[in-house]
Amino acid sequence: MKACLDLHDFSIVNNRLDLLKRLKAKWPNFKVSLFTIPVLTPEDIGPYLIRKELLEQVKECLDWIQIIPHGMTHHGSEMKYCNYEMFKNFVIPTIKETFEKDGLPYEKGFCAPHWRWSEAVVRNLDAMGWWGAIDPRQPNMLSPKRFYKYSHAIDDELDGEVLKLHGHVYGTSNDLGACMANLLRLPDDIDWHFVTDFVEEHDTTL
């Protein structure tokens, strides 16, 4: 069995590394792809007081975690009405600057908050050669040329030869804490991958 796991809404201060390390302990070959909010506005100042220490903890895991941009600030559906120039000249430079300042390598992929993005965002991704994450439960969702599409949410019944698993770090029915028991029931001999191993490309010759 092959599997990958993506989790939305990861950030330096909301990281659930405690649970991720439990999965790593069960499967030494475990990998996880984290759709990460680059610019997070403090809602609880407490974690921000130790952000430097939390960042170092994240960096210690970079051999088995993958950072992928998830919007810019994740304020509402911020990408739904984003125009081409705003995405190209402000959103992408802000994402790059934020991750580079933290010393975090990131993938050239993108997922819009709440799966909502404009046609201009999709065109930008194509122009840059980036891939985008799309929701299989929205068959009419705009898709870039290169895309990743999950197969199972982590609160689903998990069966199949290839599991492309999707969940959240916290706060939803398919968040990591709520679904740990479901994940831990998976077989011991899973071949774990990053989501980038399952990025597809539309056939433009048709």
Side-chain angles (χ1 to χ4, degrees):
M1 177 187 288
K2 291 183 178 180
C4 64
L5 171 63
D6 83 70
L7 296 173
H8 286 204
D9 302 345
F10 181 84
S11 71
I12 301 304
V13 298
N14 296 307
N15 58 51
R16 294 318 313 258
L17 284 179
D18 55 332
L19 297 182
L20 292 174
K21 288 178 178 179
R22 284 182 60 191
L23 298 176
K24 183 68 172 173
K26 177 175 173 64
W27 295 288
N29 67 335
F30 176 70
K31 298 178 176 68
V32 62
S33 299
L34 300 168
F35 286 99
T36 302
I37 304 170
V39 181
L40 197 61
T41 303
E43 295 181 2
D44 177 0
I45 198 64
Y48 285 83
L49 298 176
I50 56 169
R51 186 182 188 279
K52 183 177 179 180
E53 291 86 346
L54 295 173
L55 176 60
E56 291 307 310
Q57 292 176 21
V58 170
K59 288 182 177 180
E60 291 171 1
C61 302
L62 288 175
D63 58 330
W64 55 275
I65 70 173
Q66 187 177 61
I67 303 294
I68 308 164
H70 184 31
M72 188 178 74
T73 65
H74 205 293
H75 285 170
S77 300
E78 62 187 4
M79 295 296 129
K80 186 175 181 179
Y81 301 108
C82 186
N83 64 40
Y84 195 93
E85 291 72 22
M86 175 67 73
F87 192 80
K88 177 182 178 181
N89 298 322
F90 181 67
V91 174
I92 289 297
T94 300
I95 289 171
K96 291 180 177 179
E97 179 184 357
T98 301
F99 286 137
E100 289 169 4
K101 181 179 178 181
D102 281 338
L104 290 175
Y106 60 94
E107 297 299 317
K108 293 182 178 179
F110 187 81
C111 183
H114 311 298
W115 305 106
R116 295 172 184 150
W117 54 21
S118 65
E119 183 268 344
V121 169
V122 173
R123 284 194 293 116
N124 250 296
L125 296 175
D126 287 341
M128 297 187 301
W130 285 33
W131 57 270
I134 60 174
D135 182 5
R137 300 181 184 186
Q138 298 184 49
N140 296 321
M141 182 178 175
L142 293 171
S143 174
K145 294 175 184 176
R146 299 176 63 235
F147 64 95
Y148 168 74
K149 181 166 58 176
Y150 73 90
S151 63
H152 296 73
I154 59 175
D155 57 346
D156 292 338
E157 182 177 346
L158 304 181
D159 58 4
E161 288 303 308
V162 178
L163 299 177
K164 297 183 287 184
L165 304 174
H166 161 68
H168 286 76
V169 172
Y170 63 94
T172 68
S173 62
N174 64 12
D175 73 35
L176 188 57
C179 300
M180 279 294 286
N182 203 27
L183 289 171
L184 290 170
R185 282 194 288 266
L186 290 169
D188 292 337
D189 60 349
I190 292 181
D191 180 15
W192 285 101
H193 292 259
F194 290 125
V195 301
T196 44
D197 294 326
F198 297 100
V199 169
E200 304 175 60
E201 188 162 356
H202 290 293
D203 186 351
T204 58
T205 65
L206 297 178

